[in-house]
Amino acid sequence: MTDSFISQHRLSRRGFLKTTAAAAGLLGAAGTGMLLAGGLQATAHAEPSETIARTYHQSHCGGMCALACTVRDGRLVKIQPNGVGNPDFQTICLKGISEISHIYGTGRVQAPLKRTGQRGAGEFERISWDQALDEITALIKDTQSAHGKDSLLVMATSEADFGFLGPMLGAQDGGLTGIDVGVGNGLDPATGLGGGFAMGAPEARDWQRSKLVLTVGSNYCESSLPNAFTFADAKEAGAHMITVDPHYSTTACKSDEWIPIEPGTDAALFLGMASHILDKGLVDEQFVKLHTSLPFLVNATTGQLARHHGDAAIEVDEANFATNPNAGAGEIGPLAIGGNQAEGTTDGAAPAVPETGEQNPFYVIDGESGKVQRYDLCDNPQLEGSITLNGTEYVTAYSLLLETQRPYTTEWAAGVTGIPQQRIEALAKEYAEGPSSLALGWGGNDKMTNADISGHAAAVLVALTGNIGKPGAGVGVYVGPSYNGYGVALGGWAMPEDWAMIPSPVSLYDMPFKENNVHGAIFCGDFVAQHVAAMDNLTAWVDTLDFVVSIDPYFTEGAKWADYVLPATSRFEYDEPFGNVKGGYSQIVIQEKVIDPLFEAKTDLWITREIAKRLGLEAGLPPTATDRCNAVLASSPEPWVAELTVQQISEAGAVWPVPDRDTIREVVPDLVFPTISTRMDVYYDNLVDFGQELPQWEPCTEIADQELRRQFPLQLSNVRTRFRIHNQFYDADWLQLLYEPLIMVNPQDTESRGLVTGDTVRVFNNRGSFEVKVAANSAIRPGTTRIYEAATALYNVAGNLQSTTNDTLIERGGALMCGPVIPFSDTLVQIEKA
């Protein structure tokens, strides 16, 4: 391998702690001895010029932190919080600080690269931008001419700025993601919030008004560093902070109490708590009657919710209707079949809020007359009970819940979760008394095959206790202040009408197994190594494509399988005064140019424009990034936003606050939910065929397999950390001083295998293997292991974490709000000394 990108990268990584020599060729060196492209040494001036520019950082972590950047002689030398607009941004995390070195680091792609060896070998040669773009554009034309526009796949992470590329090319969009939708698949249909990602919680400042903050499956103090002060604020305000986690996590150690739990059993805990709340009369009956679907009538034979023009037996039995004249049959137009989502919604889109309940009537039993009444016209529905109409029996969803909950006693839950029965009962009582916040996460139980059941059971808990829509009460993922703060309704650049991406009929995770028309792919971000489990299957499919392009500031694991690797700029580099405008934590944030593009890197918009020129499509793009920014503002539906310009925001300190943001943001304070009934719709009749219309316990597909566990006895959790954002920052040299990939194992499990901290171990199962150093850690539950996500071959001793992870997709996945979740942590492995 001569002058290979990847060989130099490995040399730099392996020798990082032993040498300070700068890597040559296509790699820039970290630290103070920066090598510019072409090998020119940066020199100091006698009178250095110094400026301060502002930008925003990562949106992928939900921080969207506004940063003030000091530039001296064209080099970024200092990053600190930009506290001009928001006093909450007075801290900065490790990742933000590390950017001073990271953007100059060994991981940067300095010039366009073209593959010379086998895909996956990481062998490339340096080529010019013109050659790269000419050849890529020719491949796009040839592929789409031969196989249709949808033969091209374009996927971009939230960190990329390639919103024009896919629509311009009419490419496939990659379909459902399979990531971060496990719990949301079960929770969000009930609330109509969160879009399938469980992002319907109030902001974390609300915890100060909670009596209990119950964190389950989330490591908030690691994965929401810019907002971690809210955890301490809530604790100081008197909230009881309890963390449920298999491992003694950072958040657990900062909590008032840590409750260990068997991995993959969060649903069992919630089911046991719900049973105790029902058994002990801790239900908020008024909330359940008026703000949930539990009083609704269900056809006892079909399991479908009874709805006007959806159930003939109810329609013709007028004698059993209450006497309210507005309740008669035939007054309202036809409606869709049973279901908790509005007709026409797909892929997890939140259903539109009906104008009135009359448009989507369900039925209840009137508590006074005992007759059937339309739900929105009854102030006192009966919770329990049944009624027979024209030979068909109907029963309330609440009565069905009482039946389905019978097996899930607290004694049963204790046996499944490993949590003592008394503790489950006390926790249920405390949660029911409220106001309580239930903080869920993406990095733990969310990555299990039964995660949707956990989310559904959490929705039932909330519905029974009314812990939503009032100060100190909420449910969902609280991680990331920009996800839970006040949103900003921004517009966008008006693209030509014929520019549109094609929804992929087969999602990326299924493309290795199902027939599809993808022949070429452009990945803006590391989709190959980050977004799919059992990675060997995906790379085998990628290797069959006609061409693959990777566009990223950094050389990722997935870039090894690309034919072309194009260097993009980081958030700190631009070729115009302004790059983009976004909604941050209850404010508008803008990207000012901090420094010129490094090496031969180009902005995402420049790359898109150059491809457009070669296709004769440039007229559909904004002439400048500043034009795009101003269009995004001017087309906002909110007048206060539409009146702004990017220049005004820049003059105000590069941030513009949302009005009234000092008031803690609440969710559905009027208790009108954006669901089809405008209530918490916890009965999912679209899942009747799977027996999950109400949450029913199912163990995980792999870690609960006792026969398989005899061969591979350790559960593998790949979780989030303060050192990384998914696959990002593994190549940040400063962070490498603090952390290298480690598989953490309980001392009992290292000792039984004759291992000591620092040993290199092989982690393996039937899908694949990788090698990494091991560390004995008593914070890890016996029988489990923990490694931080996206441990790739570039930074492990050998191999990729994702070659071992579970890619099993559950049967009901296609019926879920956002499709199946990829169960990365529902994985069993064995470890041995390498």
Side-chain angles (χ1 to χ4, degrees), residues 175-363:
L176 300 169
T177 68
I179 293 179
D180 296 341
V181 296
V183 172
N185 266 335
L187 172 65
D188 291 354
T191 64
L193 304 164
F197 290 84
M199 290 168 57
E203 60 178 305
R205 287 189 298 169
D206 188 49
W207 289 346
Q208 299 175 49
R209 306 184 296 187
S210 303
K211 288 186 178 178
L212 168 68
V213 176
L214 179 59
T215 297
V216 183
S218 174
N219 193 358
Y220 182 84
C221 293
E222 285 259 356
S223 52
S224 195
L225 280 178
N227 212 34
F229 65 88
T230 55
F231 191 92
D233 289 347
K235 195 172 180 181
E236 291 178 9
H240 189 195
M241 312 298 283
I242 297 178
T243 292
V244 178
D245 195 299
H247 310 297
Y248 190 55
S249 66
T250 301
T251 305
C253 78
K254 302 298 181 185
S255 299
D256 296 309
E257 182 181 358
W258 167 50
I259 301 178
I261 187 173
E262 189 69 26
T265 64
D266 292 14
L269 170 63
F270 295 151
L271 289 168
M273 290 173 65
S275 290
H276 188 72
I277 288 166
L278 289 165
D279 293 344
K280 299 302 180 182
L282 302 175
V283 174
D284 183 341
E285 289 196 3
Q286 189 70 2
F287 182 88
V288 173
K289 287 181 177 182
L290 299 182
H291 302 295
T292 80
S293 63
L294 288 172
F296 292 179
L297 288 175
V298 178
N299 187 310
T301 302
T302 66
Q304 297 295 303
L305 288 160
R307 296 177 61 186
H308 184 67
H309 288 286
D311 200 307
I314 284 185
E315 298 303 321
V316 299
D317 200 326
E318 296 183 5
N320 284 288
F321 276 92
T323 57
N324 189 310
N326 292 324
E331 294 182 355
I332 302 163
L335 294 175
I337 60 172
N340 65 300
Q341 282 192 337
E343 185 179 16
T345 59
T346 59
D347 295 347
V353 182
E355 292 181 9
T356 69
E358 293 183 0
Q359 293 179 325
N360 301 286
F362 298 87
Y363 291 111

Side-chain angles (χ1 to χ4, degrees), residues 709-714 743 749 753 762-765 770 785 828-832:
R709 196 147 199 165
R710 282 192 285 272
Q711 186 178 3
F712 304 110
L714 299 173
I743 187 163
D749 294 316
R753 291 165 174 79
R762 176 173 173 258
V763 184
F764 65 96
N765 56 24
F770 64 98
T785 66
L828 288 175
V829 297
Q830 178 60 291
I831 62 173
E832 62 184 13

Side-chain angles (χ1 to χ4, degrees), residues 43 79 86 152 215 224 234 361 386 412 452 462 466 546 594 639 668 719 759:
T43 58
I79 301 175
N86 192 340
L152 180 64
T215 297
S224 195
S386 64
W412 167 85
D452 62 300
V462 173
D546 294 343
V594 178
V668 291
V719 299
D759 282 347

